[in-house]
Amino acid sequence: MDIEVLGTLAVREHGVSVTPTALKPRQVLALLALHADQVVPVSALIEELWAGEPPRSARTTLQTYVLQLRTLITTALERGGDETRTAKDVLVTLPGGYLLDSNGGTSDVREFDRLAGLGYRAMDAGDHPGAARLLREALALWSGPAFADVAGGVQLDMECRRLEETRLCALDQRIEADLRLGRHRELLAELTVLASRYRTHENLHGQFMLALHRSGRRGEALDVYQRLRATLVRELGIEPSVALRRLQRSILMAGPEGAAATAATAATAATSAAPPAVPAASAQNPDERLVRVG
């Protein structure tokens, strides 16, 4: 079974889609697919489908949705010529819940986690080219927001937020790796979009400031700080973090010739002052360490 959830939902058995079009069976499959090869409790499925107000027939109705999914799986098994398994072997009923057996198939979430983990370890080892490559491969698995075409309930909404956070962590570390490799000019277009999309994300703004500063665009780097500060004060009633304020001061005080070096020095200090938003990466060269403001 091949499972994709990092974008639109797609579940295939022997290359045949088993993804239903009906809303609630689609929710059931989405939750089972995300937790493939693990038992998903009936209580979690009921909460996903009906939040805190399940009908009296909730369990019976859930069984109907499972039956609909098994009908699709049966068709896929028949088309694939698989006579060794039945739909009940693929979508398994277990005490307290259901399990979707992937039978060793692919899962984009698992592959993302694997590649991102390798990327984080490469960062820890100071292998910035390897980290950038691995994290870029991990992020390429995303074709849009997780479960983009599924109208999720409580459980799926929570999982979407969790997955988005893992994506942002990988993105953050990939940008850091690229900055350490001196790719600040190549990052400017991407960071322009990210700073606009995540208007209160301090670390992305700090990376944007650093990339602009290293590109000789000191004034624009300071403008990014001022826009972020105004947004934080207006929307959240808070000031930027100490680490980001330190970076802003270093840029403000730096001359054109020493811009990059001064910003990097401030970034090193900021790293020790603020906890990392993602698994910490060691800095073999302090002048290359990126500001951590998350």
Side-chain angles (χ1 to χ4, degrees):
M1 178 172 285
D2 300 316
I3 297 169
E4 297 175 6
V5 303
L6 302 179
T8 57
L9 175 66
V11 181
R12 301 179 184 87
E13 180 67 36
H14 293 293
V16 180
S17 174
V18 297
T19 310
T21 55
L23 172 62
K24 291 194 180 296
R26 197 176 183 86
Q27 286 177 264
V28 172
L29 180 63
L31 205 54
L32 291 170
L34 178 62
H35 300 290
D37 303 312
Q38 302 175 45
V39 177
V40 178
V42 168
S43 59
L45 291 164
I46 288 176
E47 183 183 31
E48 166 63 23
L49 293 169
W50 295 287
E53 301 179 355
R56 291 182 179 179
S57 60
R59 286 179 176 268
T60 302
T61 305
L62 175 59
Q63 291 170 358
T64 301
Y65 298 150
V66 169
L67 180 61
Q68 292 175 19
L69 293 174
R70 283 175 173 159
T71 299
L72 292 170
I73 293 169
T74 297
T75 301
L77 292 172
E78 290 174 352
R79 290 184 181 178
D82 189 342
E83 299 179 354
T84 63
R85 294 189 301 159
T86 68
K88 288 186 177 182
D89 296 322
V90 178
L91 207 176
V92 186
T93 301
L94 292 170
Y98 296 94
L99 178 147
L100 189 66
D101 184 359
S102 69
N103 197 33
T106 64
S107 165
D108 57 358
V109 169
R110 290 178 182 173
E111 182 65 3
F112 171 80
D113 288 340
R114 185 186 72 84
L115 289 169
L118 291 173
Y120 295 146
R121 288 193 285 277
M123 285 292 288
D124 288 338
D127 178 11
H128 302 141
R133 175 181 56 80
L134 287 163
L135 291 167
R136 189 169 281 107
E137 289 179 15
L139 292 163
L141 293 169
W142 289 72
S143 60
F147 301 108
D149 59 346
V150 179
V154 174
Q155 291 286 325
L156 283 178
D157 285 349
M158 177 180 65
E159 294 291 354
C160 285
R161 290 193 295 271
R162 179 184 66 82
L163 290 168
E164 176 63 10
E165 187 60 31
T166 64
R167 189 187 71 83
L168 283 175
C169 287
L171 179 62
D172 174 275
Q173 286 285 270
R174 197 227 79 215
I175 291 172
E176 179 174 355
D178 282 340
L179 281 169
R180 293 188 184 188
L181 292 169
R183 297 170 179 168
H184 40 273
R185 287 185 175 84
E186 294 94 323
L187 289 169
L188 290 177
E190 180 182 16
L191 284 168
T192 298
V193 175
L194 291 172
S196 176
R197 181 176 301 164
Y198 302 100
R199 297 169 58 250
T200 60
H201 196 297
E202 292 196 18
N203 205 55
L204 286 174
H205 281 76
Q207 291 171 327
F208 192 19
M209 291 167 63
L210 198 56
L212 284 167
H213 195 32
R214 288 178 176 176
S215 299
R217 296 162 67 172
R218 180 183 174 201
E220 292 174 65
L222 294 171
D223 285 343
V224 169
Y225 175 85
Q226 293 300 334
R227 287 196 299 272
L228 173 64
R229 180 182 180 276
T231 300
L232 290 174
V233 170
R234 181 177 63 254
E235 297 186 7
L236 302 177
I238 61 174
E239 291 285 340
S241 66
V242 172
L244 199 63
R245 294 200 301 271
R246 186 176 294 125
L247 177 61
Q248 186 255 0
R249 285 196 299 271
S250 74
I251 295 173
L252 190 63
M253 296 170 61
E257 297 81 5
T262 304
T265 301
T268 303
T271 305
S272 60
V278 294
S282 61
Q284 301 299 322
N285 180 355
D287 289 340
E288 293 179 344
R289 175 173 274 180
L290 177 66
V291 60
R292 309 300 303 165
V293 299

